[in-house]
Amino acid sequence: MEKIRAIIDENEAAFPEFKEIIIILDACEAAFATPDTILDCSKSLVEWVSKNILLYLDRSLDERHIAGMKFIGAVKKALLELARWSDDFEADFVESLLKPVDKLSVIRNERGDISHGHKAPKAYSSAGLSELFRAYSEAMAYYMLECFFAIEHDLINYAKYPDFNEYLDGTGDRIGHTPYSELLFLHDRPAYESQLDVYLAELEGTL
């Protein structure tokens, strides 16, 4: 889990809330961790990363909605959003890996001690299987985080106001394939934000 710790530390200034993942990493690496608790932590790791990525990349979903999403649904949605915002994200390849991710959830529900109150460790829990899933979930979570942190997050803020951007596009010329609103956002942020404030105030006044 050291690579995940390192990338979280590198991006702490911009995304301090991602430090919360350390609790899961500590549990996965704890000396007393049993195969069943490792399965539980592996599932929690991928789920936590997916849901927290969604909080940033899909502004149409609020925190309550994301928190209530089923495991595999949250992972699929996070992959779609990463593919939307990251040119480096290999969406088709990662999507092909969803079957073992879904299986991780099934096995965790069948064998997990923590959420089901079963005695730990169970005789049929395999240390090799749990280590396989730990390595798999760690690699997937790291790749998702790496692509997420590499995204130009300012452009996500720009995409929050499509109606305003469309309005701005009618007041200026595009350069190549870049619309006027995006040019203004990237190169004269104060002017963009000033016009946005006026637009939102006028919109609020008509409600």
Side-chain angles (χ1 to χ4, degrees):
M1 301 289 174
E2 289 306 311
K3 291 181 67 176
I4 294 181
R5 292 180 188 274
I7 200 171
I8 292 295
D9 287 342
E10 290 169 7
N11 293 276
E12 181 179 3
F15 303 95
E17 62 277 15
F18 273 71
K19 291 288 287 186
E20 295 176 10
I21 200 175
I22 299 300
I23 298 173
I24 298 176
L25 302 183
D26 288 344
C28 283
E29 295 178 328
F32 58 80
T34 67
D36 294 322
T37 56
I38 290 174
L39 284 173
D40 197 89
C41 292
S42 298
K43 182 258 185 184
S44 296
L45 174 61
V46 176
E47 183 173 22
W48 191 97
V49 168
S50 298
K51 289 185 175 182
N52 279 271
I53 284 176
L54 282 178
L55 285 173
Y56 278 90
L57 299 189
D58 191 342
R59 300 301 177 92
S60 69
L61 303 176
D62 60 28
E63 189 171 352
R64 178 180 297 181
H65 180 93
I66 292 174
M69 293 178 73
K70 298 293 186 181
F71 171 71
I72 196 62
V75 177
K76 286 181 178 179
K77 181 63 174 171
L79 297 183
L80 288 172
E81 290 300 319
L82 282 170
R84 176 187 176 197
W85 291 104
S86 172
D87 293 333
D88 298 324
F89 190 71
E90 295 292 342
D92 292 340
F93 172 70
V94 176
E95 188 172 356
S96 70
L97 304 179
L98 282 178
K99 187 172 183 179
V101 172
D102 193 23
K103 189 61 177 176
L104 168 60
S105 179
V106 172
I107 292 176
R108 178 263 186 184
N109 288 338
E110 291 176 348
R111 305 189 182 189
D113 310 318
I114 295 175
S115 63
H116 299 281
H118 299 306
K119 182 179 178 181
K122 297 179 186 175
Y124 56 81
S125 294
S126 165
L129 179 64
S130 66
E131 287 300 324
L132 173 63
F133 275 121
R134 172 154 60 179
Y136 184 89
S137 63
E138 178 183 2
M140 185 169 185
Y142 177 81
Y143 180 57
M144 293 173 72
L145 288 169
E146 181 184 49
C147 292
F148 170 74
F149 289 137
I151 291 171
E152 176 54 71
H153 285 271
D154 276 352
L155 290 180
I156 298 175
N157 293 328
Y158 163 77
K160 286 173 61 177
Y161 303 102
D163 292 339
F164 171 66
N165 293 332
E166 184 178 354
Y167 159 75
L168 272 186
D169 291 339
T171 67
D173 298 324
R174 69 171 52 239
I175 296 180
H177 295 292
T178 307
Y180 174 71
S181 58
E182 186 174 335
L183 291 169
L184 192 65
F185 180 86
L186 293 174
H187 301 291
D188 192 352
R189 187 71 57 81
Y192 178 92
E193 292 177 348
S194 176
Q195 293 189 58
L196 175 61
D197 288 341
V198 172
Y199 176 85
L200 293 176
E202 292 178 349
L203 186 64
E204 186 176 349
T206 63
L207 296 179

